[in-house]
Structure formats: C-alpha cells, structure tokens
Amino acid sequence: MDISSLMAALPGAIGQGILWGVMALGIYTTYRILNISDLTVDGSFATGGCVAAVCLVNGINPLLSLLVAMIAGILAGAITGFLHTRCEIPAILAGILTQLGLYSINLRIMGRSNLPLLKVDTLFTKGQALIPLPSQYVTIVIGVILIVIIVCLNYCFLGTEIGCAVRATGNNDKMVRSLGVNTKTTKMIGFMLANGLVALSGALVAQSQGYADIKQGTGAIVIGLASIIIGEVVCGKRRNFMVRLSTIVVGSILYRVVVAVVLQMGLSTDDLKLLTAVLVAIALTIPVMIEKHNQKKRYKMSMEG
C-alpha cells in the first residue's frame, strides 16, 4: 500500500464521511430513537440529491436548494409515516413501498437518470472561492460547520416537549399513550425528521460530487447503520445525548476512512457492498460478545463472593 496515496485520499474520505454523517443522524432517529427500521432511506437520499440538482440547474441558490431538498425528504417521510400509522402497514413494508415509489418520482423530477452539476455553482464551488484551500479541505470545513449546526438543532429539538415525546415513544409507546400522547403523531414526526435529514445529506453529497444520480441512494441504509454501530462500538453508548449524536458522525468518518484504506490496499470497488456488510456484521457482533464476556465475569465474581 502506497502511504502517500493513502494520505492524499484521507481528506476526501473524511469530507464524505461528514456529509454522509448527516444521513446517519437521520437513520439514528428511526433506528435508535423510535426503535423502527425505516427502509425509505435509499429512496429519500436520492430524492434529496435529485431535487437539489434540479434546483441548481434552474438557478436557485445552493443553500436554498438544500432547504427544498430537505422539505422533499420530509414529505417522503410523511408518506411512510402515514402508511405505517394510519394505514397500519408494518414499518418495514411501508418504507419499502415508499422507496419503490420514490424511484419513479425521482426520475420524474430529474427527467433522466443522471444530472451533472459541473456547469453550475454549488455550495462547495462557492466555498472554494471564499476559502483558499484545496477542494477536499473545503468540503471538510463546510461539512464541519453544517454538522455542528445540524447536531445542535437536532439536540435542541429532541430536548423539547415534542422531542421528548418522540424519544419516549421509542422506549415505551404504551406508557406514552397512557399519558395521553398520540403516538401516531410522534411516530409521524420521527419519520419526517429522519427522512428530512437523509434528503439533506443526499443534496450535500450530490453538490460535493458534482452530479445527482437516480441510484445514488442504493445501499444508503446499510452505510448509515454501519456508521451508527461503528460510532457506538468505538465511543460507547453510555454517554449524554449530545455526545451520542456526535459519535454517529465519528462512525461515518471512520467508515469512510476504512473504505479508503481498503481501496488503497487493492480491493475492487465491486466488493464495497460486501465490505460494508462484513463491517456491519462485525460491529453488531462485538457488543454482543463483550456483553456475554461481562456477564460471565460478573457471574464468576458473584459465585466467588
């Protein structure tokens, strides 16, 4: 492995890790907070990229295009939430149905399967004009600024009365209903918030890469889960909520760095999906093994005592 090539690839991997970390924050909302597996992600991520790309091509400000993309993601989450809460379709199936529908919607939005952004100004090309750094470092700077804002806003919202109700719904929805809270509404809010963040991430990635593609969200759910689990394994779960949100982004960066290292070692890009699956499997297994080891250790100590 060429160390110089690896060092050259690391800034780009870190930048992409930060941008994809926004998506992981969205997945965390449903996967950990609501305790629901939402498969809308693959579709809403591409929706964010497609909407942002069309906005940019039509001369809309890059920041405003991010807002429009996020609104599109919120609407996608609302559809999944409606199917799950009102139509009483299981969450996994509701997400799959929305994801399938979004594929055709995304094609309608762009009018083609791929839309290049090389001739339009994006958030990152504008940033390069203001920040005298190479493009990879500009992506990192802009990404850090955005991720700090997003984590803080997410933390503040989930600390409000409505946000606490959303968190409580994931812990024990029966108890929350007994307190007079409409859990259908809190779940709907969770779905909308999650997919809004996922679409925002898709818009950022599309602007960073210079194109939007109909298939850019393929496998996004697995990448997001890998980021969450890697972050939890490395940084631990038993921390305050702000730190836990931050560790998700750390996990996303570590995932991208691992991918960059493995690619520099000669792995074919065709095997990246397999690598992701293996990483997730390992990350899921490690906490279980550690817990079993701790249980045996506690049992031996109790027997000796």
Side-chain angles (χ1 to χ4, degrees), residues 165-225:
V166 173
R167 293 167 65 180
T169 300
N171 288 329
N172 192 329
D173 60 342
K174 292 181 180 178
M175 181 199 72
V176 174
R177 280 199 300 270
S178 69
L179 296 175
V181 177
N182 188 337
T183 55
K184 291 183 178 180
T185 301
T186 55
K187 287 180 180 179
M188 178 75 80
I189 292 171
F191 278 111
M192 292 167 69
L193 174 62
N195 285 282
L197 289 173
V198 170
L200 176 60
S201 178
L204 288 169
V205 171
Q207 291 196 35
S208 172
Q209 293 179 343
Y211 68 92
D213 191 274
I214 196 70
K215 294 182 179 180
Q216 76 179 74
T218 304
I221 181 68
V222 180
I223 295 172
L225 290 175

Side-chain angles (χ1 to χ4, degrees), residues 103-149:
Y103 186 87
S104 297
I105 292 173
N106 294 339
L107 276 173
R108 288 281 186 179
I109 291 172
M110 288 204 305
R112 57 174 118 170
S113 61
N114 186 286
L115 185 60
L117 301 174
L118 300 177
K119 296 182 180 180
V120 298
D121 285 331
T122 67
L123 184 64
F124 300 96
T125 57
K126 285 181 175 291
Q128 272 189 283
L130 298 173
I131 305 172
L133 291 172
S135 59
Q136 300 96 324
Y137 294 97
V138 171
T139 301
I140 293 174
V141 172
I142 294 175
V144 168
I145 294 171
L146 290 173
I147 206 70
V148 168
I149 295 171

Side-chain angles (χ1 to χ4, degrees), residues 25 28 33 146-159 167 231 235-250:
L25 284 169
Y28 182 84
I33 295 178
L146 290 173
I147 206 70
V148 168
I149 295 171
I150 292 166
V151 168
C152 290
L153 290 176
N154 208 17
Y155 176 79
C156 291
F157 171 75
L158 292 172
R167 293 167 65 180
C235 304
K237 291 183 181 180
R238 296 179 182 179
R239 298 179 182 271
N240 67 62
F241 192 59
M242 174 65 85
V243 175
R244 274 187 284 165
L245 290 176
S246 302
T247 59
I248 296 167
V249 183
V250 173

